[in-house]
Every structure is written in C-alpha cells, then in structure tokens.
Amino acid sequence: MTIEEVRQIILNILADIAPDEDISSIDDNTKLRDQIDLDSMDFLDIVMELRKRFNIEVPEKDYEHLATMAGCVSYLTPLLKNRPLASS
Amino acid sequence: MSDLNERIVITGIGLTAPNGNNLKEFRQNLLNGVSGVTNFETRYMGQVHAGVCDFDELKYQKKKERRRGTRVGSVAIYCSQEAIADAGIDLEAIDRSKVGVYLGVTEHGNVETENEVYNISQYGYDTKFWSHHHNPRTVSNNPAGEVTLNMKITGPHYTIGAACAAGNMGVIQGVQMLRLGEVDLALAGGVSESIHTFGIFASFKSEGALAEHEDPTKASRPFDKNRNGIVCSEGGAVYTLERLPDAQKRGAKIYGEIVGYAINSDAIDFILPDPGRQAECIRLALDRAGLKPNDIDILNAHATATQMGDIQEAKAIRDVFGENSKTRINNTKSFIGHTMGAAGTLELSGNLPAFDDLMVHPTINLDNLDPDCALNNLVANKPEKLPSVDYIMNNSFGMFGINSVLIVKRYH
C-alpha cells in the first residue's frame, strides 16, 4: 500500500466521522484537531474504524501518533503494508 | 420564588408527527382525515405498520451531531427549537440557566442497544467492536441532554419515564418546576423513536396486540369492532411553558392555560388497565381545575386500539362523564398510531387549535363501533364544529397502570 493510499484511507475515515468539515485541504504537518472539529470521541472513532476496516489495534500509548496526517501515515503505513485496500 | 398557584400557559409548540412537521400541517391533516401510518421495514420482522416522521434532521443539527446522537435526540432538538421559534423567544437574550428541559419517554436505549448488538454480530460478537458512543446514547437523559447541548441550555434537564403516559407527564413536570421557581421557562413534552427497535413491535405481536390491516392507513382503529392492536409510531411535541405574568409581559401568543392535571397508579397489573383508577385520575384532574365533567368540551381519549385497553378506558369515561355527557370525545391515534412517549403532548397539540377554529377532529377508521366502547358524543370519521370550546382534556395511560390527565383552558 502506497503512502498516498494510506493517506486516502485516513481521509475516508475523517469524511465519515467529521461529515461537516472540508477535509480536502488538510495540512499534513498541522494537528488535525487544529484544522477540523475533532474531540476525544472522534479519535476513538478513528481507532474503531481502523479496527473494523483493517483489524488494526492502536494501543492508547500510540494515540499521539494520530495527531497529524503525517503522523497517521508514518504510523499506519507499516501496519497496513500487507493489507488489501478497503473500498471504504 | 415559588408560588404554587401560579398560572402556567403554553406559549410555543414544536412538533413532528407522522402526518405533519408543524402544528398547522398536523391540524390540517387531522381535520382532513389524513393518516400518517405507512408500511415500514423493521429488522428481523420485515414489514410492519408504523407512523414515520420526515422532519428535516439537519434543520437544527450538524451532520456530526446527528451521527453521534440518537434519533430521539434529533426529534427532541427539532421540536424544542421549533417551540422556541414559535414562541418568539430569543435564546441569546435570556438566562439559559433558568430554562429546564423535561421530556417524557416511554422507553429509551432499546434502539441503540439493538443496533450495537446487530453491529457486533457482523464481527462474530466480539465486544471490542461495541461502540464507545453506546453509553452516552443510552443514558436515560439522552434526549433532553442532546437538547441542552444543541441549544446551550444550562438549566436542569431530564426525561420522565412513564410508559405511554409520559407525554402528559413531561408537561406536568414543567408546570411544577415553574411553580416551584426552579426555572423561568420550561421546554416540556414527550418524544419517541420507538419504531427503530424491532423489539417493541415483536413484543406487541407476541402479546397479540400489534395492528395489521391490508391498508396501513386503516390499521389504527380505536373503538372499532375489528381493531386488532397498536400501530407503533415515532414523533415528538415540546411546549414552551411560562408563568402567565411573564408571557403577558413579553406579549406572547398564548395557546392555552394548564388548569388541571393528575397522575395516579392502578397497582393491579403489568399491562391491563383499571378503569376504576383511570376514572379516579380524571376526577382528580377535574377537581383540581374546579370543573365538572360537562365543562370539558373535548376529551382526547388515550385508546390505542387494543381489545381490552379501549374497553377499559370507555368504562372509565362513561363512569365519569355519564350517559348524557355533552363532552365530545375523539382519538388522535387513529391518524398517527401510538407515538408512545410523545403521545400525550402530541395528541393534545392536535386539539389545541380547536380553541380558535372550534372544530373537533374525529377518530377515524371507526366503521363498526364496538358496543363495549360505546361513548356518548364520540366524534366519528368526520370533524364536528362546536359553538364554543373552553376546556380540552387529554388522557394518557401506560403500562404498570400509570395514568395521567391534563386539562387545558382557552386563554382569554
């Protein structure tokens, strides 16, 4: 799975859990929370969607890696390496 | 400061019914005989009859709020916002710590729990897929709590769980809290999302009390010989309640004054109602209002079209009102089915315009009156115009023999 594909996976999840937000211009190195309206329940939604869609478990100590898009991509790319691209 | 004799008035109404998303639409359809009952697909059971609302959830909520919350939270927010708008109250300009939200519910949490059980069934019943949203969605105060978040209300909020008597009881709670001086404005009423749980339908079916008819609009037929049960419906109605001097001071439109209420319990059975206690409840409400049965112009009966429930209520009404009563009796469930926690407030709302237009909407689908349900001046199938309408009574009864009665007086 390419970096671009991993990025798209995160965008797809964000589109579902933050449906009122414009996610097309997200800056990869700025905290997601500072760009769109996300709270702790939303981060738990991201974790849940990764679990549901890719059977990936993100332990609580690793939540900090999900703070930015760049962090999400670098954290998730190795985990998603051998997984097929989910349609959603 | 509390004043237990303070006069309390209805100054705004927000509602969603299966046949109308505001009072005007709802009233028109009640006078024109338009049912809101349709066929509805429900999980595991397939097609059932239900009253389904089509209000715009996104009129007052963001998509995320809706996604995170519950259907009944959405119903409650829509009705509360519409009530405030109808009352002409600027929320920004009032002290929102003195606003209370009191909503009646028949049940809460069934829909969300069923959804989660279904969700984890798709993952081999592994509970790590159980949503973290489950608890906030299923706490009993959820519908009222969602209203406070949406409208930034910081006064008290809670629901009143009282089976199908709950709608009246939300209003009664509002009246009491205004009189106690706990709040200056009450958003009070009842709400329901019950059609989104198969369990309600399945339980009524197992009880032999789920309505079936080839034409869904004819399925809800209270007092009819061929009635065969309840049509479950969703809906909501919320009033703004104010103390009369406050309403007068701001030149508010006044729909009516709540002059009497009563709540009591049968204490005999889980589901079978007791006409004796129902009659007591009606008499208590009349006594508190200082009225005689004949003073009531319109009585909105609770009857849900179950075999025994309708007969028991008819007995109670005959006992209080006698054989020669002039009181007109109608039934709103014949149009919209049983909106459960919303029923009390919603059905009363449909009747309140009678103070102005003097029309009594009928009970529809009454083709063959069950002699055991015979009532004097039962308004059947066609509306009736009265020379005057000064008092409307609303009955709402529920499981465990919880009875509630409200009396509203025309304001003049």
Side-chain angles (χ1 to χ4, degrees):
Chain A
M1 203 174 282
T2 67
I3 285 175
E4 223 16 73
E5 283 171 339
V6 175
R7 190 177 188 277
Q8 190 56 49
I9 283 167
I10 306 300
L11 284 177
N12 290 345
I13 291 174
L14 288 175
D16 285 348
I17 66 172
D20 307 291
E21 305 287 338
D22 175 15
I23 55 166
S24 61
S25 55
I26 278 182
D27 178 82
D28 285 20
N29 295 306
T30 305
K31 279 189 174 175
L32 290 168
R33 255 182 147 139
D34 294 341
Q35 303 178 75
I36 56 176
D37 182 20
L38 288 180
D39 60 20
S40 56
M41 293 291 269
D42 295 317
F43 274 91
L44 288 173
D45 270 325
I46 296 174
V47 172
M48 178 64 85
E49 289 308 309
L50 290 169
R51 183 182 294 145
K52 281 185 173 175
R53 298 181 194 192
F54 304 103
N55 203 22
I56 286 176
E57 282 302 328
V58 182
E60 202 174 339
K61 66 176 176 53
D62 291 348
Y63 285 1
E64 61 187 274
H65 296 298
L66 305 181
T68 63
M69 178 58 88
C72 288
V73 170
S74 64
Y75 179 77
L76 292 171
T77 300
L79 297 175
L80 286 163
K81 202 170 155 189
N82 297 318
R83 293 177 200 279
L85 181 62
S87 57
S88 58
Chain B
M1 211 171 67
S2 69
D3 178 352
L4 300 184
N5 295 312
E6 195 79 73
R7 295 171 67 185
I8 308 298
V9 290
I10 302 167
T11 57
I13 299 176
L15 65 82
T16 179
N19 63 350
N21 292 318
N22 55 59
L23 183 58
K24 195 177 163 200
E25 234 174 65
F26 183 38
R27 179 67 175 169
Q28 251 165 18
N29 285 330
L30 293 176
L31 293 179
N32 293 335
V34 179
S35 163
V37 177
T38 57
N39 288 328
F40 182 67
E41 288 294 319
T42 189
R43 190 179 286 145
Y44 308 132
M45 291 183 72
Q47 188 176 280
V48 293
H49 307 312
V52 186
C53 296
D54 65 357
F55 70 98
D56 178 7
E57 290 184 319
L58 299 180
K59 185 169 179 185
Y60 300 109
Q61 283 187 289
K62 287 184 172 176
K63 287 179 191 160
K64 184 157 100 176
E65 266 183 284
R66 177 61 195 94
R67 178 182 179 277
R68 183 175 285 190
T70 61
R71 171 68 170 172
V72 70
S74 212
V75 167
I77 288 167
Y78 176 83
C79 294
S80 299
Q81 288 273 16
E82 292 276 299
I84 288 284
D86 182 49
I89 293 169
D90 177 6
L91 268 185
E92 301 290 330
I94 64 171
D95 178 0
R96 277 177 274 189
S97 71
K98 295 293 282 179
V99 181
V101 184
Y102 310 107
L103 300 179
V105 290
T106 288
E107 50 78 34
H108 181 69
N110 280 310
V111 174
E112 298 71 26
T113 304
E114 277 176 18
N115 284 344
E116 282 309 308
V117 172
Y118 179 77
N119 169 48
I120 64 167
S121 78
Q122 307 301 298
Y123 299 92
Y125 291 100
D126 186 338
T127 54
K128 75 180 180 190
F129 294 100
W130 190 272
S131 174
H132 49 285
H133 293 296
H134 176 74
N135 288 349
R137 282 177 183 152
T138 57
V139 289
S140 297
N141 59 324
N142 167 280
E146 287 203 35
V147 170
T148 60
L149 287 181
N150 179 272
M151 300 171 75
K152 307 293 174 225
I153 289 166
T154 60
H157 82 265
Y158 44 91
T159 53
I160 292 99
C164 301
N168 271 357
M169 287 172 59
V171 174
I172 292 168
Q173 187 73 22
V175 170
Q176 292 173 333
M177 291 299 112
L178 284 161
R179 285 183 176 153
L180 285 173
E182 291 284 324
V183 293
D184 292 334
L185 171 68
L187 283 164
V191 288
S192 173
E193 63 175 6
S194 294
I195 63 166
H196 301 282
T197 160
F198 79 91
I200 297 272
F201 292 96
S203 184
F204 279 133
K205 185 152 189 166
S206 297
E207 192 190 323
L210 187 67
E212 281 181 35
H213 197 284
E214 59 188 19
D215 177 353
T217 67
K218 297 193 186 313
S220 184
R221 32 197 325 116
F223 305 127
D224 190 86
K225 221 173 180 171
N226 297 318
R227 68 190 181 280
N228 57 17
I230 291 172
V231 169
C232 293
S233 301
E234 63 175 354
V238 174
Y239 297 159
T240 54
L241 299 179
E242 295 176 78
R243 299 181 198 98
L244 179 61
D246 294 343
Q248 284 170 325
K249 204 164 132 191
R250 67 177 192 88
K253 164 182 64 185
I254 293 174
Y255 285 96
E257 178 183 353
I258 296 164
V259 292
Y261 65 79
I263 304 168
N264 73 353
S265 305
D266 293 349
I268 56 157
D269 194 87
F270 277 54
I271 55 173
L272 182 67
D274 174 15
R277 293 287 172 265
Q278 290 180 347
E280 273 181 22
C281 194
I282 295 169
R283 286 198 176 96
L284 182 57
L286 286 167
D287 285 351
R288 285 174 172 171
L291 299 173
K292 302 280 177 224
N294 254 332
D295 292 327
I296 302 295
D297 299 291
I298 301 170
L299 164 55
N300 182 80
H302 170 76
T304 62
T306 61
Q307 279 306 318
M308 283 312 294
D310 290 18
I311 292 171
Q312 301 290 76
E313 185 181 11
K315 276 185 199 163
I317 293 172
R318 283 196 300 266
D319 182 28
V320 176
F321 289 84
E323 302 294 333
N324 301 307
S325 155
K326 77 166 183 67
T327 301
R328 266 47 178 190
I329 296 163
N330 67 2
N331 182 291
T332 311
K333 291 184 182 74
S334 58
F335 293 83
I336 60 173
H338 190 344
T339 57
M340 315 301 286
T345 326
L346 191 50
E347 294 172 16
L348 176 60
S349 304
N351 277 287
L352 289 177
F355 287 137
D356 295 323
D357 63 25
L358 309 180
M359 299 296 292
V360 189
H361 73 258
T363 184
I364 58 170
N365 298 327
L366 188 53
D367 298 330
N368 296 295
L369 177 68
D370 178 348
D372 289 334
C373 298
L375 290 163
N376 207 37
N377 284 318
L378 183 57
V379 180
N381 302 315
K382 282 190 309 205
E384 182 183 346
K385 186 152 192 165
L386 298 181
S388 64
V389 177
D390 291 312
Y391 292 98
I392 297 172
M393 175 182 276
N394 191 52
N395 283 354
S396 270
F397 308 135
M399 286 187 179
F400 285 91
I402 176 87
N403 306 309
S404 67
V405 177
L406 267 183
I407 302 171
V408 182
K409 182 185 180 184
R410 181 167 72 95
Y411 179 75
H412 51 127

